[in-house]
Amino acid sequence: DIPFVTHLGFELEKFEDGESAIGFSPKPEHLNSFAVIHGGAVMTLMDVTLAAAARSVQPEMGVVTIEMKTSFMRPL
């Protein structure tokens, strides 16, 4: 349980064999001033999805993101 992830409304849909999928239904509070999903919410979704995939191989192990970067090509 990660309180911030719960707050964003992410739902774990797949967690097995090094793969994961997380559902996210954005709400108005997830948008930025341009009425698109805030980049921080998108980055958090990617971070949590990648960590879940890694942990699905060995669930008792912890995972920490050391570095993460993306280039947004268009609004989501």
Side-chain angles (χ1 to χ4, degrees):
D1 181 49
I2 303 169
F4 183 59
V5 170
T6 302
H7 174 72
L8 288 171
F10 295 174
E11 294 190 26
L12 186 62
E13 297 175 353
K14 183 176 184 175
F15 183 77
E16 60 184 283
D17 301 322
E19 297 182 12
S20 70
I22 295 180
F24 177 45
S25 297
K27 297 178 182 172
E29 57 266 29
H30 299 127
L31 306 181
N32 64 20
S33 59
F34 299 107
V36 297
I37 301 171
H38 191 284
V42 176
M43 289 295 288
T44 301
L45 178 61
M46 291 189 293
D47 184 43
V48 172
T49 303
L50 291 166
R55 290 192 72 183
S56 72
V57 176
Q58 194 171 358
E60 65 278 359
M61 287 287 281
V63 177
V64 177
T65 302
I66 295 174
E67 185 175 345
M68 186 171 169
K69 179 190 181 301
T70 193
S71 297
F72 295 102
M73 303 301 286
R74 61 181 169 177
L76 187 65

